[in-house]
Amino acid sequence: MIVWSEILESIPPSVDVACTIAEALALFQTIPHKLAMVQQEKRIVGYIDVSSILEQLRSSLDIQQVIRYDQDMLMVPEQSPVEFYHNISVVLGVNEKGEITGFIRMEEARSKLNETKLEQMNRILNGAGIGIVTTDSHFHISFVNEMGEKILGVDRSFLMNRNYKILLETNRDLGEVLKGKQLFNVASSFNFKQIIGNCSPFVVQGQISGMVHIFGQREQWEEGVSELEFVRHLSEDLQAIYSSSREQILVVDGTGKIIRIAGTFLKEYWMTEDPQDLIGRDVKELEKEGRFGPNVVELCKRKQGKVSSIQETVEGRKVWSVANPVFHGDKLEKVVIISHDMTEMDRLRQKLEIAQQQSESYKHELEDLMERTGQRKTLLYRSQIMEDTVDEMRRIASVDSTVMLFGESGVGKEVFAHAIHESSKRKDQPFIRVNCGAIPENLIESELFGYEKGAFTGADLKGKPGFFELAHKGTLFLDEITELPLNMQVKLLRVLQEREIVRVGGIRTIPIDVRIISATNRDIRERVEEGQFREDLYYRLNVIPISIPPLRDRPGDIASLAMHFLQKFNHTYEKEKSLSREALEILENYHWPGNVRELQNVMERIIVTTRHDYIEGHDILPILYADRSSKKIKPMVFDLMPMKDAIAELESQLIQLALRKHGSAAKASQILGISPATISRRMNKSR
């Protein structure tokens, strides 16, 4: 594992936010990094580099103007593992005292990480006693690693470009390798050194360009063979160790059948005394029987990688499971799951969560600072579906084609529109937002196109420019476009076609250069078919459609957004509240009909109304489900239905009754004998 402190560079000099371009250029002539931090009241709020200064000069040649600085940076604990983030260009490392110890650009971090991994690989190969020789198609030596040089007993400078086929004595035909054949356990000698190894084709861009010889000293390989018996005995010892440990080891084959169970058998979890009852059973069938959930084997197969999850039985027993896939080539051979009963570890888990939240405090501090300095709305996401949507947005941002944003209410259409503007060549020009549904019908024409003096009673004596004029050279965002009256749709279509407007009460045409972005949460095609929206205008606006997925379709973003709103409202209301893992789990299980806007409102309500600084699951459940808990009077089934559906209905009614009667999720979960997380999951499922 490589941590940030291994690749960080020393902190560069800093400048004040009031620094001019001339002062910044003078500083860059004296420092090697060509990057400087920007401070405000002795706190780092951003950074500048040569490219950003030159970009600013392109728009204005005044070198006495105040610098514009970038803020796409992130503070991380210097001893945490290196990982990469969206929308971050600079990483700052902080020590345990909160002091900034170094920095690195993200692209340089990737390069250094690759270099470090390569060095580690070389050390591994050398430490394992493995020699490597590569040749070209004529068997001329092109590379020898350090261990290969040591095993062969000849200096690399002597070996380079010599014919390896002549130097290496073996009874195997090396010419077969250049035809695509692999030779295993090739015994040979070189300079009276006895070696053994494998010879494989060296393939570059689909063509065989030479040979790779991977080898070791023969006596060491023979010793390795003699150690296989030792490994067998060691395996038996490990089985005994696993049996005495508190972990259960479950091995499932590629089809989902359980083939082996070792270690401590979790009989309360499986609800059986004998592990042999499970051998040969399909994990999907066990999941359907309600033995556990979720199915980590299926999650592991879908992800094609390691999966960690808390599994819970119908009786509320929790098990922490880590599933690792084992591949043979490209084929999934088996999945190994190590499980630990978490029932007795809840207290330790809570302490760990607090420590993790404290380790995030530096990141939250930076985000607070960015909020205070007027950082504009940014896109926060981690899910693949949002990454694909943002990639599409960035590709179309550089052109001036009209864009129509589709998405449910609250998904962040205005934030997306702003991001398109900020990523376009018009980013230094106005961004004007117009809510077409909020302007009275008798005023919308004058608001959009402006009016001349005396155009109507009550008009400003000087006249007034409309939104189109205000957005000249920039972007005009028409939100709720389907609410635009039909008579205004005709005039908007003409503006889009002619690129000019006429003010109300005027006769002079005014040319305009505006990019149009529109948005709606309704089915605009249905409005067209009903005659409520002009078809020709629809085609004019819908040149590039972008659909923003609802929050329920990207659960991976919920935790990031929740933590963002948490630190935002903590700063707004001067609080220091934090969320438990169970609280986050409940938020992630909720279906969020109001999307990001609802999540923001819920987080603000939680910050304001909860009494304690540590927010737990029972604090959140009443907020999410209070409206539902008062609809039914007592648990009952009113009609015939399948037994499974009836049980689910009664469970839902019992949970609602408990919430209404006892007022808190903690008390309700205690009375019903289930966890708050289970309450959230059942309530969400019943919707």
Side-chain angles (χ1 to χ4, degrees), residues 210 234 262 277 295 308 346 420 467 481 528 533-534 539 557 676:
L234 179 62
D277 294 342
N295 186 346
S308 302
D346 282 344
I420 294 173
F467 290 129
I481 187 66
V528 170
F533 199 87
R534 292 182 61 92
Y539 289 122
D557 294 339

Side-chain angles (χ1 to χ4, degrees), residues 84-96:
F84 299 97
Y85 304 88
H86 299 293
N87 302 334
I88 297 298
S89 299
V90 174
V91 170
L92 302 177
V94 295
N95 60 20
E96 294 179 351

Side-chain angles (χ1 to χ4, degrees), residues 381-432:
Y381 60 92
R382 292 184 69 87
S383 61
Q384 185 62 47
I385 187 173
M386 277 296 288
E387 183 174 349
D388 294 341
T389 306
V390 172
D391 285 343
E392 179 185 7
M393 177 270 291
R394 286 174 177 156
R395 286 196 302 272
I396 61 93
S398 59
V399 298
D400 281 341
S401 301
T402 56
V403 178
M404 180 169 282
L405 302 177
F406 297 92
E408 298 177 4
S409 179
V411 296
K413 295 186 286 296
E414 182 180 353
V415 176
F416 251 85
H418 209 291
I420 294 173
H421 174 73
E422 288 296 312
S423 301
S424 72
K425 60 187 177 182
R426 299 173 180 266
K427 63 181 179 180
D428 295 325
Q429 301 300 327
F431 175 85
I432 304 297

Side-chain angles (χ1 to χ4, degrees), residues 445-476:
E445 181 177 5
S446 61
E447 292 294 319
L448 287 176
F449 308 130
Y451 56 84
E452 298 290 358
K453 60 181 180 179
F456 52 84
T457 303
D460 193 304
L461 295 178
K462 298 179 181 179
K464 179 185 174 183
F467 290 129
F468 272 92
E469 288 183 73
L470 295 175
H472 185 57
K473 297 293 185 182
T475 302
L476 183 62

Side-chain angles (χ1 to χ4, degrees), residues 401-611:
S401 301
T402 56
V403 178
M404 180 169 282
L405 302 177
F406 297 92
E408 298 177 4
S409 179
V411 296
K413 295 186 286 296
E414 182 180 353
V415 176
F416 251 85
H418 209 291
I420 294 173
H421 174 73
E422 288 296 312
S423 301
S424 72
K425 60 187 177 182
R426 299 173 180 266
K427 63 181 179 180
D428 295 325
Q429 301 300 327
F431 175 85
I432 304 297
R433 176 188 179 274
V434 180
N435 188 327
C436 298
I439 304 175
E441 185 173 347
N442 61 331
L443 295 179
I444 193 165
E445 181 177 5
S446 61
E447 292 294 319
L448 287 176
F449 308 130
Y451 56 84
E452 298 290 358
K453 60 181 180 179
F456 52 84
T457 303
D460 193 304
L461 295 178
K462 298 179 181 179
K464 179 185 174 183
F467 290 129
F468 272 92
E469 288 183 73
L470 295 175
H472 185 57
K473 297 293 185 182
T475 302
L476 183 62
F477 175 47
L478 300 176
D479 198 5
E480 297 186 28
I481 187 66
T482 51
E483 305 306 313
L484 199 66
L486 280 171
N487 64 317
M488 285 306 305
Q489 293 178 25
V490 178
K491 297 181 180 181
L492 176 59
L493 177 63
R494 181 188 176 281
V495 171
L496 295 178
Q497 291 172 336
E498 305 298 333
R499 294 290 173 178
E500 62 183 21
I501 63 166
V502 177
R503 288 185 178 183
V504 175
I507 58 173
R508 180 175 59 92
T509 59
I510 302 173
I512 50 106
D513 176 13
V514 174
R515 181 180 191 170
I516 301 295
I517 301 175
S518 58
T520 181
N521 59 4
R522 303 184 64 174
D523 186 344
I524 194 168
R525 287 296 308 171
E526 182 179 316
R527 298 279 290 174
V528 170
E529 293 171 1
E530 293 173 350
Q532 299 299 314
F533 199 87
R534 292 182 61 92
E535 187 172 20
D536 46 6
L537 178 58
Y538 165 70
Y539 289 122
R540 275 286 180 178
L541 294 173
N542 194 40
V543 176
I544 301 178
I546 295 180
S547 295
I548 304 173
L551 192 55
R552 62 180 172 275
D553 290 346
R554 42 188 177 107
D557 294 339
I558 293 174
S560 300
L561 289 166
M563 297 306 293
H564 168 73
F565 293 134
L566 177 72
Q567 62 87 24
K568 175 182 176 181
F569 293 122
N570 269 340
H571 168 67
T572 301
Y573 299 114
E574 298 181 349
K575 304 287 186 181
E576 294 183 359
K577 298 195 175 185
S578 58
L579 290 170
S580 69
R581 180 187 294 273
E582 189 175 54
L584 276 175
E585 189 177 308
I586 290 172
L587 292 174
E588 289 176 329
N589 285 324
Y590 187 60
H591 71 297
W592 298 111
N595 294 294
V596 180
R597 185 181 295 118
E598 182 184 7
L599 175 58
Q600 180 178 358
N601 293 342
V602 167
M603 291 304 301
E604 182 175 9
R605 183 176 174 184
I606 290 170
I607 295 296
V608 172
T609 60
T610 52
R611 297 180 179 179

Side-chain angles (χ1 to χ4, degrees), residues 217-228:
Q217 294 179 345
R218 187 182 297 180
E219 59 267 27
Q220 291 180 347
W221 284 49
E222 290 172 348
E223 288 175 5
V225 173
S226 66
E227 289 177 356
L228 288 176

Side-chain angles (χ1 to χ4, degrees), residues 293 310-319 342-343 346 349-350 580-583 585-586 589 616-619 621 625 651 655 658-659 664-684:
I310 295 178
Q311 295 179 286
E312 187 173 359
T313 68
V314 292
E315 296 180 356
R317 197 167 192 88
K318 293 184 178 180
V319 169
M342 294 288 292
T343 308
D346 282 344
R349 178 174 59 83
Q350 293 290 342
S580 69
R581 180 187 294 273
E582 189 175 54
E585 189 177 308
I586 290 172
N589 285 324
E616 300 188 76
H618 60 76
D619 296 318
L621 278 173
Y625 299 106
E651 285 179 348
I655 290 171
L659 285 172
S664 74
K667 186 64 176 176
S669 63
Q670 180 181 352
I671 295 299
L672 296 176
I674 57 178
S675 68
T678 301
I679 290 180
S680 174
R681 192 156 47 247
R682 299 288 171 81
M683 293 286 285
N684 193 40

